[in-house]
Amino acid sequence: MKKKVLKVHEDDNVVVALTNLSKNETVSLNGQDFTLQEDVAAKHKFAATELQTGDSIIMYGVLVGKAQSLIKKGGLISTANVKHAANDFEISEKRNTEWKKPDVSKFSGRTFMGYHRPNGEVGTANYWLVIPMVFCENRNLDVLQESLVRDLGYGRNRKYKYQAQQLIDLYKTGKSVEDILNADIRTESGDEQGKRLFPNVDGIKFLNHEGGCGGTRQDAQALCGLLAGYITHPNCAGATVLSLGCQNAQVSILEEEIKKRDANFAKPLYILEQQKIGMESDLLAAAIKHTFAGLILANQNERQPAPLSKLCIGLECGGSDGFSGISANPAIGYTSDLLVGLGGSVILSEFPELCGVEQGLSDRCVQVDTAKRFSHLMKTYNARAVAVGSGFDMNPSPGNIKDGLITDAIKSAGAAKKGGTSPVADVLDYPEKVTKSGLNLLCTPGNDVESTTAEVASGANVVLFTTGLGTPTGNPIAPVIKLSSNTVLYNKMRDIIDINTGTIIEGEETIEQAGERILDYVIKVASGELEISAVRHGQDDFIPWKRGVSL
């Protein structure tokens, strides 16, 4: 029979409802009975024992809040009676880096079919990039996109255009607003993608952004580092760069950042400066010719076998719910451990969502200096947020709170499960590149797209993205695999969700079984065998982080 409740950690004094529970209903767990004091919706928590004002709320074995009033045993834990609280952390000279490496025999010797690059890295896709150094060039990118994408076979699905045409026809025949709203509109696929001229090139991606000038010089430096991360990324075959010429984000800075990441950079890179060239028509003509030439070169690369150690997985969550930390996140945490055990790399980011679990992560850092850097980045980031009237405690969104994540520490303790249990090999500041195999911590905001954008710039050639509420998020060059924390969401939004981990909640699958299933799926996606929802929909989300306060 399906369980109704769950205690995540033996030290917890709260219990998670796995299904909707009613007031006065009695449920049992590990030989103990709990009578509910009020209705408790699935994903929310109730007190396992009577809690007095000021008592600690413990979940995942860590402090996640303080009781603000008396909470009876079986009483609902909510924003009305609990406030965020988290333990402080310190740097210990003793390292806690021993871990139980999972059995990876099932995957030993496995390979994926990837695109090998001159520097030894391997891509899971093969894209050509068109990048503006400054927002002034965004219109020119739009013109290039109109000129190249459709005729080369990379057009999007046009079913919505066909639906609009049907409405136009109804309007022209004199139909009323009510008739139009009630009309039965056909939904033919209208697929615009034709046969690709370059079959080994997955697409041309245009990284429009709003930066490059104004702001601070640090913003320009960070932007150039981010763009360099994409240009040197193993999923990128080469790039066309459009520069105006007078902006803060100078081409020379970009070139320096490229060298930092790849000292012997050997991909085709075409940099065109509008103020040097002159006429806009000449700039665009040159950009079209150079991009086309680059595509010819990119098409010469074909997928070849590569060891799983060449995979770098970004770990991300967005639209999280009360089940995320007990199904989807620990499942990809086990996937993370498997990949680390195979010599690969994983990236855990979203520093505002590591609040309250810093001590455990700090102790897992292989080097004391790495732990010190983690501490510095966390405390500096939080202090900047507090200085403008915010703070990590204000990270949970209304959707998070509605679905059971009522404090940042509860959200963080569940979010950190994505990183698994392996030692922390390195700590990176935005937008640095991963250089070590194993678990890497990357300083980014909790904002889904800003964080995913950064993880890919740091080298993630696949991203695992968990969600409890649903989000279409993707990335221009790296496949973003969406995983639902619950089966209801998976069935409701199957057009944007790739994998369901609600099976864990329902007792049909263990965390370990789900983790292995996810890695099998990743290998197929990395080999180009499966087209995930974000790629199919052309969901190319790209938002650089300006180093102000963004949670």
Side-chain angles (χ1 to χ4, degrees):
M1 185 174 68
K2 179 182 175 181
K3 291 183 179 180
K4 288 187 174 183
V5 294
L6 170 73
K7 185 182 281 191
V8 180
H9 189 280
E10 62 183 1
D11 294 337
D12 292 355
N13 58 9
V14 297
V15 177
V16 183
L18 300 181
T19 188
N20 292 334
L21 303 175
S22 301
K23 182 179 179 180
N24 296 325
E25 181 178 353
T26 298
V27 294
S28 299
L29 180 67
N30 300 329
Q32 187 176 8
D33 292 336
F34 303 93
T35 300
L36 283 304
Q37 302 298 309
E38 53 222 293
D39 292 342
V40 180
K43 309 178 185 180
H44 285 262
K45 295 87 184 166
F46 61 85
T49 185
E50 184 168 282
L51 298 168
Q52 304 295 323
T53 301
D55 281 354
S56 297
I57 309 296
I58 306 297
M59 187 174 176
Y60 297 99
V62 298
L63 175 67
V64 295
K66 292 280 188 177
Q68 300 300 294
S69 59
L70 173 68
I71 307 175
K72 293 182 179 180
K73 180 180 177 180
L76 175 69
I77 301 294
S78 71
T79 54
N81 57 26
V82 172
K83 293 295 183 184
H84 167 85
N87 286 322
D88 198 5
F89 62 103
E90 58 185 22
I91 307 299
S92 171
E93 292 297 321
K94 186 178 179 181
R95 304 288 85 215
N96 182 24
T97 57
E98 292 186 7
W99 69 300
K100 185 178 179 181
K101 179 180 174 181
D103 180 6
V104 297
S105 58
K106 179 180 176 181
F107 298 95
S108 294
R110 291 275 298 273
T111 61
F112 71 98
M113 298 296 288
Y115 293 97
H116 293 249
R117 303 301 179 190
N119 64 359
E121 295 178 349
V122 181
T124 61
N126 194 33
Y127 289 104
W128 187 268
L129 293 180
V130 183
I131 296 176
M133 292 299 299
V134 62
F135 54 79
C136 306
E137 293 296 327
N138 281 346
R139 177 194 164 274
N140 288 331
L141 256 71
D142 292 340
V143 173
L144 290 174
Q145 189 167 9
E146 292 171 4
S147 303
L148 292 167
V149 171
R150 180 179 177 184
D151 290 341
L152 292 177
Y154 301 111
R156 289 191 181 188
N157 192 307
R158 302 184 72 198
K159 66 180 180 181
Y160 301 111
K161 180 176 180 179
Y162 293 142
Q163 290 178 27
Q165 186 59 54
Q166 293 174 62
L167 297 178
I168 292 170
D169 293 341
L170 290 173
Y171 176 74
K172 286 182 176 179
T173 59
K175 297 295 184 183
S176 68
V177 170
E178 185 176 357
D179 291 335
I180 288 173
L181 290 174
N182 293 322
D184 184 15
I185 302 300
R186 298 188 305 276
T187 56
E188 291 92 342
S189 65
D191 198 345
E192 192 180 71
Q193 287 192 351
K195 186 175 181 181
R196 293 178 181 176
L197 181 61
F198 303 111
N200 295 324
V201 180
D202 293 298
I204 313 168
K205 297 300 181 178
F206 301 81
L207 304 188
N208 294 57
H209 60 82
E210 302 303 319
C213 209
T216 67
R217 296 305 170 95
Q218 289 82 0
D219 288 338
Q221 187 80 41
L223 176 64
C224 287
L226 184 81
L227 297 179
Y230 275 73
I231 292 170
T232 59
H233 194 280
N235 288 6
C236 172
T240 304
V241 177
L242 300 188
S243 169
L244 180 60
C246 57
Q247 70 275 351
N248 286 344
Q250 286 287 295
V251 168
S252 59
I253 303 175
L254 177 67
E255 291 172 334
E256 290 171 4
E257 292 291 340
I258 289 173
K259 277 189 176 181
K260 286 181 186 177
R261 290 159 177 78
D262 189 351
N264 299 309
F265 181 74
K267 295 177 184 176
L269 177 63
Y270 307 122
I271 299 174
L272 304 171
E273 191 163 293
Q274 186 168 2
Q275 289 172 347
K276 285 183 179 178
I277 293 173
M279 296 290 287
E280 182 183 279
S281 57
D282 292 338
L283 171 73
L284 291 171
I288 291 171
K289 285 192 291 186
H290 282 86
T291 300
F292 195 86
L295 291 168
I296 295 173
L297 296 174
N299 193 54
Q300 295 171 5
N301 197 345
E302 298 182 2
R303 289 185 182 272
Q304 301 291 335
L308 299 187
S309 59
K310 294 294 184 179
L311 288 175
C312 179
I313 295 180
L315 309 167
E316 190 64 44
C317 58
S320 298
D321 70 348
F323 285 164
S324 292
I326 57 180
S327 60
N329 290 350
I332 69 170
Y334 190 74
T335 304
S336 301
D337 284 348
L338 287 171
L339 187 60
V340 171
L342 292 161
S345 304
V346 293
I347 305 173
L348 180 65
S349 57
E350 301 177 292
F351 273 27
E353 297 179 10
L354 299 179
C355 179
V357 295
E358 298 100 331
Q359 189 66 62
L361 288 169
S362 174
D363 291 347
R364 283 165 57 189
C365 290
V366 174
Q367 303 292 337
V368 172
D369 286 347
T370 306
K372 289 179 178 177
R373 191 179 199 208
F374 174 59
S375 174
H376 170 73
L377 290 172
M378 284 291 291
K379 291 181 176 179
T380 301
Y381 191 170
N382 187 46
R384 287 175 179 170
V386 171
V388 295
S390 187
F392 286 176
D393 61 299
M394 299 183 72
N395 176 263
S397 70
N400 296 149
I401 294 169
K402 174 179 171 290
D403 269 46
L405 303 179
I406 63 170
T407 74
D408 186 55
I410 291 178
K411 182 178 180 181
S412 296
K417 294 292 183 182
K418 301 192 301 292
T421 61
S422 68
V424 176
D426 206 0
V427 173
L428 308 171
D429 194 9
Y430 177 92
E432 293 175 338
K433 179 179 178 178
V434 168
T435 59
K436 296 180 180 179
S437 59
L439 173 60
N440 292 261
L441 305 182
L442 173 66
C443 183
T444 75
N447 176 286
D448 310 347
V449 178
E450 286 177 320
S451 182
T452 302
T453 299
E455 286 186 341
V456 175
S458 291
N461 50 14
V462 176
V463 176
L464 291 174
F465 190 115
T466 68
T467 182
L469 304 176
T471 172
T473 303
N475 181 266
I477 66 170
V480 178
I481 300 170
K482 241 70 61 56
L483 304 97
S484 66
S485 70
N486 61 90
T487 303
V488 171
L489 171 64
Y490 179 70
N491 291 332
K492 182 180 181 181
M493 303 181 78
R494 290 187 70 165
D495 59 333
I496 63 170
I497 304 294
D498 303 297
I499 296 176
N500 178 33
T501 65
T503 50
I504 296 170
I505 301 296
E506 289 147 11
E508 297 174 2
E509 193 176 29
T510 66
I511 288 170
E512 292 77 15
Q513 289 169 336
E516 289 187 351
R517 175 167 61 93
I518 292 164
L519 184 53
D520 269 322
Y521 193 93
V522 167
I523 294 169
K524 292 176 182 177
V525 171
S527 299
E529 296 174 18
L530 290 176
E531 185 178 61
I532 60 170
S533 60
V535 173
R536 184 169 59 252
H537 294 311
Q539 189 79 33
D540 294 339
D541 300 317
F542 179 82
I543 303 180
W545 181 30
K546 295 179 73 171
R547 286 299 291 263
V549 176
S550 175
L551 295 177

